[in-house]
Amino acid sequence: KQEVTQIPAALSVPEGENLVLNCSFTDSAIYNLQWFRQDPGKGLTSLLLIQSSQREQTSGRLNASLDKSSGRSTLYIAASQPGDSATYLCAVRRVLTGGGNKLTFGTGTQLKVEL
Amino acid sequence: DAMVIQNPRYQVTQFGKPVTLSCSQTLNHNVMYWYQQKSSQAPKLLFHYYDKDFNNEADTPDNFQSRRPNTSFCFLDIRSPGLGDAAMYLCATSRDRGSEKLFFGSGTQLSVL
């Protein structure tokens, strides 16, 4: 069974700081890993998708890396802004025995960027 | 423009009174998913449709049903809501089941009184 863990559960930083969010997973047989942002009481917005053959993806101030062999991914946010305050979730799509695949979410890191 | 639309945004129902949540998409994606997310927890997959093919998760209670009358629409029916079913219900789509990105709606927050 795939388990996805995100550390820390909550993080508060001053505006302008660079920060790293961590995601770890127990089963390395994955198709891809996706990072999402969720604002309070809202749905999820996809930020970055990394295929299992890739090492990293970048979008603006966001950079996500993937180390499949060690079961880890990081989301790097440069020059954080108050508008970045949200919960960040990672989700791993893994291969199932007998075929098919399944997306498993972590519980998220709640980020607050303060003025 | 929103591509995955969920209605209503908030839904209040009574204990045991059937309720239906709706989801529509303009992406023409093959796959539509329903997730349940309780406060401070990870989203949990209830079921998904691959085209007309329904795929139920093994631990989804029988109380939860789904319908997909066409490519654009998918409904979540809760036959007899209990207090433990109060949660955010998230609809998502993807073009295929494999390596594709998921697109989520804004969710329906369900309260059970």
Side-chain angles (χ1 to χ4, degrees), chain A residues 33-50:
Chain A
L33 183 145
Q34 197 166 354
W35 281 93
F36 293 90
R37 169 187 172 136
Q38 185 173 32
D39 292 287
K42 299 286 182 63
L44 280 68
T45 300
S46 178
L47 298 173
L48 291 163
L49 172 68
I50 310 177

Side-chain angles (χ1 to χ4, degrees), chain A residues 31-32 34 36 38 40-46 49 51 89 93 101-103 105-107, chain B residues 9 33 35 37 40-43 45 57 88 90 97-102 104-107:
Chain A
Y31 276 129
N32 58 46
Q34 197 166 354
F36 293 90
Q38 185 173 32
K42 299 286 182 63
L44 280 68
T45 300
S46 178
L49 172 68
Q51 302 296 347
L89 297 100
R93 186 175 290 282
N101 58 84
K102 183 173 181 177
L103 192 66
F105 281 86
T107 52
Chain B
R9 183 73 182 85
Y33 308 79
Y35 285 84
Q37 186 181 26
S40 300
Q41 295 186 19
L45 182 64
E57 292 298 302
M88 172 75 85
L90 297 164
R97 272 190 300 203
S99 59
E100 301 294 329
K101 186 183 291 189
L102 261 66
F104 280 82
S106 298

Side-chain angles (χ1 to χ4, degrees), chain A residues 30-76:
Chain A
I30 66 169
Y31 276 129
N32 58 46
L33 183 145
Q34 197 166 354
W35 281 93
F36 293 90
R37 169 187 172 136
Q38 185 173 32
D39 292 287
K42 299 286 182 63
L44 280 68
T45 300
S46 178
L47 298 173
L48 291 163
L49 172 68
I50 310 177
Q51 302 296 347
S52 63
S53 58
Q54 297 175 322
R55 298 282 295 182
E56 65 179 315
Q57 283 287 322
T58 299
S59 175
R61 293 184 293 109
L62 305 179
N63 176 276
S65 67
L66 174 63
D67 185 342
K68 203 173 72 164
S69 60
S70 67
R72 292 188 299 181
S73 176
T74 60
L75 178 66
Y76 175 81

Side-chain angles (χ1 to χ4, degrees), chain B residues 30-92:
Chain B
N30 287 320
V31 193
M32 295 187 78
Y33 308 79
W34 279 105
Y35 285 84
Q36 178 193 63
Q37 186 181 26
K38 296 187 178 180
S39 181
S40 300
Q41 295 186 19
K44 177 180 177 299
L45 182 64
L46 296 173
F47 25 60
H48 76 274
Y49 272 95
Y50 180 71
D51 195 13
K52 297 179 182 179
D53 181 28
F54 177 71
N55 297 270
N56 199 26
E57 292 298 302
D59 55 356
T60 298
D62 293 340
N63 198 26
F64 291 87
Q65 305 285 321
S66 187
R67 296 170 284 132
R68 189 179 186 187
N70 53 53
T71 300
S72 301
F73 285 87
C74 194
F75 300 98
L76 170 62
D77 301 308
I78 309 176
R79 292 192 296 190
S80 181
L83 298 178
D85 297 327
M88 172 75 85
Y89 289 88
L90 297 164
C91 173

Side-chain angles (χ1 to χ4, degrees), chain B residues 8 11-13 16-21 76-81 110 112:
Chain B
Q11 176 73 58
V12 180
T13 191
K17 184 175 181 181
V19 66
T20 295
L21 311 181
L76 170 62
D77 301 308
I78 309 176
R79 292 192 296 190
S80 181
L110 178 68
V112 181

